[in-house]
Amino acid sequence: MIPVRHAVEIRDLHKSFGELQVLKGIDFTVDPGQVVCVIGPSGSGKSTLLRCVNLLEQPTSGMVVVEGLELTDRDADLDAARRRVGMVFQQFNLFPHMTVLENVTIAQRRVLKRGKAEAERVARDNLDRVGLADKAGSYPAQLSGGQQQRAAIARALAMNPALMLFDEPTSALDPELVGDVLTVMRKLAEEGMTMLVVTHEMAFARDVADRVVFMDGGVIVEDGPAAQVIGAPQHERTKSFLRRVLDPTHTDV
Amino acid sequence: MTDQLKTAEPGPGGNPPVRAGLSPRKKQQISRAVQYVILVAVAVAAVLLIDWASLAQNFAKPEVAQESLPELFTVALKNTLIYSVGGFVFAFLLGLVLALMRLSPVRPYRWLALVYIEIFRGLPALLIFLMILFLPLALPGFEVPGGTYGQGILGLTIVGAAYMAETLRAGLQAVPKGQMEAARSLGMSYGRAMITIIIPQAVRIVIPPTTNQFVALLKDSSLVLFLGVSGEYVELTKFGNDLASTHANATPILVVGVTYLLVTIPLGYLASRLERRQGKGR
Ligand SMILES: Nc1ncnc2c1ncn2[C@@H]1O[C@H](COP(=O)(O)OP(=O)(O)OP(=O)(O)O)[C@@H](O)[C@H]1O
Ligand SMILES: [Mg+2]
């Protein structure tokens, strides 16, 4: 097919909810090992784009290829494809009736059919990675928001994904807990994980992302190296968005 | 204490409401006094008008009450529990299937479940039992498996499932959408996610209301009476009824009533405690 194999390749992606056109022709790619941050105003379709990448949302038209497998093919095995794509949600979405350890082992056991001992070993390794080794026996409700989000990251990592999707992973957190989660994500990026991150954390995007994509009104307005898109934006819409985000008290209403 | 309207907030217009006549506190005192007077009057009338000796003879005759033991517990209560626990288990399972059908993307399934629920919630339970009684006439050669127990449990299942389905559907819908999405994003199929993630949480949510539904089924198990059961199959109500006829005395009815309450009242408390705990937990 395509000579260079991308981790993610999106071609002319459209998504509508009834009359409402949310994505109006998105084209972009993520290469293996790349960290791409998606920024943009509320309602611009960032979450919808991310959810189209693992087909939690069915695109209206267009093509989504992950790891060489076309997910928009009607006969694609989506469950198999989603195993290779980890997703971290704004609201964590841990399973409240299970301990942290069970949260991290359940899909390994039921989906990957790993044995109990192996699943627990992988779970403990990943909990250690996110700094939660001592919370294995706790229930989600007993953890802080930052700990819950790190447990959710460990849960996704335990499936050995080739790609991680993050949808505003720190937006529901108290400010003092944001750092812990971003540190884990930065470490993951340094280890070479391919990541697609929707975020409002401009400092993270500037420091960690290889590329930043600015979306507005269902299209990609600007796509380039972080230093360029955030440091020297070309488009007026990008400039005005960054002004509002970086200096919220000086917004021209 | 003064009669001033100290606590009354000024209305939106800013003027304090003008008080006409008695203060609210005085009115409340008078109303309460009237209520006590009525209560005392009714109690006095009851004491004077009711023939207590005859009532005791008819409803609380120790010899007759004694006669009911030990079968009251070893046969009647045991059977009541068999019918109602059996009915509950099957109603729960059928209710779960109906609830999942109600939420299915396949329209005919949604339809069928809705039709079942509407029909059997709308019919008196007694009618269902009479239907079961006449089933062999309609379907010659057909027999409910499990004999008398099977018939009683079938009746309670048919009635209970309709209510259970609606409760479970509400429970399934109360599980946040993000739970299904998280499960699917980990590669679980829809069915797998339902079984390991959604249903366990839904069941937890519906424990208090289903406890109340168990109490309702326990009471409805008295309708087994109409299946013409006898001997070792009698449950509490039939047992009390038979004994009362034999002795031409109502004491067994009272005894049976107390036995029901021994089970239903603690369960009712359990349900409201679970409900309160859940209200705090989430
Ligand atoms: N399931 C849905 N049904 C109908 N409309 C939807 C649905 N999901 C999203 N939308 C609409 O699509 C638009 C884009 O939503 P989306 O969540 O992708 O935006 P976003 O860029 O992630 O915004 P935010 O920064 O607020 O998260 C919004 O107008 C939203 O109301
Ligand atoms: Mg969003």
Side-chain angles (χ1 to χ4, degrees):
Chain A
M1 275 171 51
I2 314 130
V4 185
R5 206 169 97 172
H6 302 287
V8 181
E9 183 183 2
I10 289 173
R11 289 279 163 252
D12 198 28
L13 183 70
H14 289 257
K15 174 68 187 178
S16 307
F17 292 106
E19 290 289 283
L20 180 69
Q21 271 194 53
V22 177
L23 299 180
K24 305 171 185 165
I26 301 277
D27 287 278
F28 85 108
T29 58
V30 181
D31 289 336
Q34 255 189 350
V35 177
V36 176
C37 281
V38 181
I39 60 172
S42 181
S44 57
K46 306 181 298 292
S47 299
T48 307
L49 170 62
L50 210 62
R51 294 157 58 81
C52 281
V53 173
N54 67 355
L55 269 275
L56 276 185
E57 215 68 80
Q58 177 74 47
T60 311
S61 69
M63 191 170 80
V64 175
V65 182
V66 173
E67 294 277 297
L69 183 72
E70 187 188 338
L71 300 190
T72 33
D73 182 339
R74 290 162 141 274
D75 295 320
D77 182 351
L78 291 184
D79 294 333
R82 290 198 188 104
R83 278 172 226 163
R84 307 281 297 142
V85 181
M87 181 143 187
V88 175
F89 301 85
Q90 186 175 351
Q91 299 298 336
F92 328 137
N93 295 346
L94 288 175
F95 306 133
H97 59 304
M98 297 179 178
T99 64
V100 168
L101 186 69
E102 287 165 340
N103 263 278
V104 185
T105 50
I106 184 78
Q108 295 187 64
R109 306 261 288 134
R110 297 281 184 272
V111 177
L112 301 180
K113 310 286 179 200
R114 284 182 186 152
K116 191 173 155 116
E118 191 196 354
E120 287 197 1
R121 186 181 52 72
V122 173
R124 287 187 194 281
D125 285 351
N126 280 296
L127 286 173
D128 199 30
R129 247 169 124 181
V130 300
L132 286 179
D134 54 332
K135 296 289 181 194
S138 306
Y139 281 89
Q142 299 167 315
L143 304 183
S144 74
Q147 292 169 331
Q148 288 189 49
Q149 191 59 297
R150 283 182 283 144
I153 294 174
R155 177 176 71 179
L157 290 177
M159 303 295 284
N160 302 109
L163 165 72
M164 286 284 285
L165 307 174
F166 293 84
D167 190 1
E168 300 197 33
T170 57
S171 295
L173 298 178
D174 292 338
E176 79 270 21
L177 302 175
V178 169
D180 296 346
V181 173
L182 291 183
T183 305
V184 165
M185 289 170 62
R186 175 196 290 266
K187 225 171 62 182
L188 212 55
E190 283 162 4
E191 290 166 15
M193 177 63 76
T194 312
M195 293 164 57
L196 187 54
V197 185
V198 173
T199 187
H200 289 301
E201 298 291 336
M202 290 304 146
F204 177 84
R206 198 164 38 208
D207 297 350
V208 180
D210 299 299
R211 260 171 57 217
V212 171
V213 171
F214 173 70
M215 271 182 81
D216 194 8
V219 295
I220 290 179
V221 176
E222 206 159 337
D223 179 350
Q228 182 197 310
V229 175
I230 295 177
Q234 304 296 304
H235 293 261
E236 191 44 49
R237 282 198 278 177
T238 321
K239 287 180 194 166
S240 99
F241 171 74
L242 287 169
R243 255 200 315 275
R244 272 179 285 142
V245 173
L246 297 173
D247 197 3
T249 51
H250 288 89
T251 306
D252 15 305
V253 184
Chain B
M1 258 192 252
T2 66
D3 272 350
Q4 299 304 311
L5 272 167
K6 272 194 187 147
T7 53
E9 297 283 329
N15 295 324
V18 183
R19 200 178 71 219
L22 294 167
S23 75
R25 189 175 59 86
K26 282 251 168 71
K27 279 188 203 156
Q28 207 176 23
Q29 276 177 343
I30 292 173
S31 146
R32 193 164 300 177
V34 169
Q35 290 180 50
Y36 273 108
V37 169
I38 292 174
L39 184 67
V40 170
V42 170
V44 169
V47 167
L48 296 179
L49 296 178
I50 293 174
D51 181 350
W52 289 98
S54 143
L55 196 70
Q57 268 300 306
N58 253 299
F59 269 103
K61 212 170 168 189
E63 309 91 83
V64 180
Q66 206 128 51
E67 186 106 345
S68 72
L69 295 172
E71 286 83 8
L72 173 69
F73 295 111
T74 58
V75 177
L77 178 59
K78 186 194 81 179
N79 282 334
T80 287
L81 290 177
I82 287 176
Y83 289 120
S84 39
V85 171
F88 180 79
V89 169
F90 286 105
F92 187 91
L93 294 176
L94 180 56
L96 185 58
V97 171
L98 288 167
L100 291 171
M101 283 171 70
R102 280 278 273 148
L103 300 174
S104 159
V106 183
R107 182 174 305 201
Y109 278 166
R110 292 204 299 271
W111 252 84
L112 283 172
L114 185 68
V115 167
Y116 179 97
I117 291 166
E118 291 299 341
I119 289 179
F120 289 106
R121 271 198 320 183
L123 292 177
L126 176 54
L127 200 70
I128 313 281
F129 278 85
L130 293 179
M131 250 165 51
I132 290 173
L133 192 61
F134 287 100
L135 211 54
L137 287 183
L139 303 166
F142 175 82
E143 236 180 88
V144 179
T148 309
Y149 282 139
Q151 283 185 328
I153 288 171
L154 177 64
L156 293 173
T157 301
I158 291 173
V159 178
Y163 290 94
M164 214 76 93
E166 285 299 89
T167 309
L168 281 164
R169 179 177 65 94
L172 289 168
Q173 286 178 323
V175 177
K177 257 184 70 193
Q179 293 290 309
M180 177 56 95
E181 294 183 347
R184 297 306 299 273
S185 79
L186 289 165
M188 291 189 199
S189 65
Y190 178 84
R192 167 54 64 197
M194 268 291 170
I195 291 168
T196 47
I197 306 300
I198 308 297
I199 291 174
Q201 292 184 57
V203 167
R204 258 157 252 240
I205 292 171
V206 302
I207 284 175
T210 44
T211 308
N212 285 323
Q213 276 167 7
F214 177 74
V215 171
L217 275 190
L218 191 102
K219 291 190 287 181
D220 280 346
S221 71
S222 63
L223 296 171
V224 168
L225 173 78
F226 291 94
L227 292 176
V229 297
S230 60
E232 56 180 314
Y233 295 113
V234 299
E235 45 64 63
L236 281 169
T237 300
K238 169 82 169 152
F239 177 81
N241 187 37
D242 289 355
L243 210 60
S245 315
T246 317
H247 292 273
N249 184 287
T251 304
I253 307 289
L254 188 79
V255 168
V256 161
V258 170
T259 313
Y260 273 116
L261 294 178
L262 283 180
V263 183
T264 53
I265 290 179
L267 276 175
Y269 271 98
L270 181 70
S272 57
R273 256 194 62 181
L274 290 170
E275 206 159 346
R276 238 174 309 141
R277 219 181 59 185
Q278 215 167 55
K280 269 186 232 152
R282 279 201 155 234

